[in-house]
Amino acid sequence: MDKSPQVLLELVERLSNLMRAEFRRVSSDEQLQPVHVQALTYLARANRYSNTPQAMAEYLGLTKGTVSQSLLLLDRRGLIERYQDDLDRRVVRLRLSQAGDAFIAEAQPQLAWQHATRNISPNRIRNAVSALRETLATFQEDNEGRAFGQCHGCQHFERLSTRAYRCGLMGDRLSGPETKRICWLYVQKGTAVEEDEDD
Amino acid sequence: MDKSPQVLLELVERLSNLMRAEFRRVSSDEQLQPVHVQALTYLARANRYSNTPQAMAEYLGLTKGTVSQSLLLLDRRGLIERYQDDLDRRVVRLRLSQAGDAFIAEAQPQLAWQHATRNISPNRIRNAVSALRETLATFQEDNEGRAFGQCHGCQHFERLSTRAYRCGLMGDRLSGPETKRICWLYVQKGTAVEEDEDD
DNA sequence: CCGATTTGGTATTGACACGATACTAAACCG
DNA sequence: CGGTTTAGTATCGTGTCAATACCAAATCGG
């Protein structure tokens, strides 16, 4: 039996543990926990469909109750803003406040990671990304978990013209930058098997 | 600027979060926390140099005090055994108890992961492993953190004959299986750049 | 050889993550 | 328009986690 998957898991967990420690370090000034940094990072990358407590809970693998508490804290600290959705008034929408934006910009939580990957060729990184991405997709299928992803590669993504896009599921028009954010309604487009490219 | 490293980090964290949730699921019968599963898994793979609270704390990215608490709990539950080192009586050595062994064997915490990676070719996994391994090594250098690894690839590793090994640093002879475990004294042997292999 | 320092580990305390449960209010559905 | 579902909050108990203080064994420096 091949034990490589096992080893891969070990690496993923260890790296994640180290980043968690790193998050703790950079956020100790603000009295924040690692999970708060993750939450802020998520919000910095979420689009209009995924900027809700529900989606965040799914993304972080936590319950909605737990996430709700963390959001209360972040709100008290003035790092995020919460506002009601116009159409569905049960829904709470989230965004980074100016202070939250500033925190992410200054603390640079991923700096250590950027450094750690500096010697690895972009190609090897892309290969690793593609393998992990596929792992994640399968994982989510297995657990009936919702998928997250960027418009590029999503079934619902439609290109109206060179600079105009649309989400076929929601019917909304999307700005260029918004198609780069993390969406909750992501559905993998017909899956051709990707194989690693050479360097 | 290339954003691939960023994406890689996102994937690592998300997968790790999902596995954490998975750990919580499989260990909720035993009233254990995800970190306890990680600790037990670590012990199942640690060798004679790394089966101490200190090493575990380093590996998990936690402080020794925190780890000490978790170990107390695991001891109370009868999942691990703690005993004194003969030479240095400050040192506590750890090992899985029979119950701990059984738990790891039954709960199969990595099962979900095995499933999630089933469709990925061994070669792509190896490539991903190699990239992440290198990331980890650089990360540890940057933070003056100690490295972890298996004898194969360690500077101190000496092969006495076809089946006899020795750790040059500690001077101990090692059994074959022990060279496959996680060691704390690991030092990367002269680093030739590995490049991805084709499939 | 013996005081000073270092090292491995534990005890205690306080903040808070986290799940479980119970709840509210809005939306949906027949 | 009553029953159900859905998004989120409130509350509570367990236990992680860092910080601090502490102890004992080892090591170092004269």
Side-chain angles (χ1 to χ4, degrees), chain A residues 17-31:
Chain A
N17 283 337
L18 289 175
M19 282 305 292
R20 183 174 298 263
E22 175 70 14
F23 284 171
R24 199 179 294 279
R25 224 178 42 68
V26 304
S27 64
S28 55
D29 305 344
E30 299 275 350
Q31 303 266 50

Side-chain angles (χ1 to χ4, degrees), chain B residues 120-159:
Chain B
I120 306 184
S121 82
N123 216 30
R124 292 180 70 202
I125 292 191
R126 274 196 296 275
N127 286 342
V129 162
S130 118
L132 289 186
R133 208 196 290 278
E134 207 170 317
T135 302
L136 178 55
T138 311
F139 205 124
Q140 284 167 336
E141 273 172 39
D142 287 357
N143 297 17
E144 301 122 26
R146 214 170 298 231
F148 286 81
Q150 295 174 20
C151 292
H152 164 81
C154 174
Q155 254 179 25
H156 305 120
F157 187 51
E158 298 170 9
R159 174 168 227 150

Side-chain angles (χ1 to χ4, degrees), chain B residues 36-194:
Chain B
H36 298 150
V37 179
Q38 290 194 330
L40 292 176
T41 308
Y42 172 76
L43 282 185
R45 308 247 318 119
N47 73 356
R48 74 176 84 170
Y49 306 128
S50 50
N51 61 352
T52 71
Q54 186 82 293
M56 183 185 286
E58 191 103 10
Y59 187 86
L60 297 178
L62 305 175
T63 63
K64 56 180 183 164
T66 297
V67 167
S68 180
Q69 295 313 303
S70 293
L71 292 175
L72 281 181
L73 183 147
L74 289 173
D75 197 1
R76 281 200 302 274
R77 300 278 172 82
L79 294 168
I80 64 172
E81 289 164 8
R82 303 194 291 169
Y83 56 101
Q84 252 188 0
D85 186 276
D86 297 330
L87 294 172
D88 187 335
R89 284 185 316 202
R90 292 170 306 179
V91 174
V92 171
R93 304 234 158 247
L94 308 164
R95 66 166 157 244
L96 289 180
S97 70
Q98 231 168 347
D101 242 357
F103 172 77
I104 290 291
E106 283 167 29
Q108 297 249 35
Q110 318 86 343
L111 198 63
W113 179 269
Q114 304 272 10
H115 255 98
T117 52
R118 65 180 175 273
N119 289 330
I120 306 184
S121 82
N123 216 30
R124 292 180 70 202
I125 292 191
R126 274 196 296 275
N127 286 342
V129 162
S130 118
L132 289 186
R133 208 196 290 278
E134 207 170 317
T135 302
L136 178 55
T138 311
F139 205 124
Q140 284 167 336
E141 273 172 39
D142 287 357
N143 297 17
E144 301 122 26
R146 214 170 298 231
F148 286 81
Q150 295 174 20
C151 292
H152 164 81
C154 174
Q155 254 179 25
H156 305 120
F157 187 51
E158 298 170 9
R159 174 168 227 150
L160 300 180
S161 70
T162 38
R163 288 216 175 166
Y165 312 96
R166 202 172 79 100
C167 175
L169 182 61
M170 302 302 284
D172 294 321
R173 300 191 60 163
L174 301 171
S175 72
E178 183 154 41
T179 65
K180 303 280 189 183
R181 292 172 158 259
I182 297 176
C183 185
W184 195 31
L185 309 171
Y186 182 84
V187 178
Q188 180 85 26
K189 204 157 44 183
T191 46
V193 177
E194 321 173 44

Side-chain angles (χ1 to χ4, degrees), chain A residues 14 59 124 130 140 198, chain B residues 14 59 124 130 140 198:
Chain A
R14 180 138 161 69
Y59 188 84
R124 293 180 69 202
S130 117
Q140 283 166 337
D198 297 343
Chain B
R14 181 140 161 68
Y59 187 86
R124 292 180 70 202
S130 118
Q140 284 167 336
D198 297 345

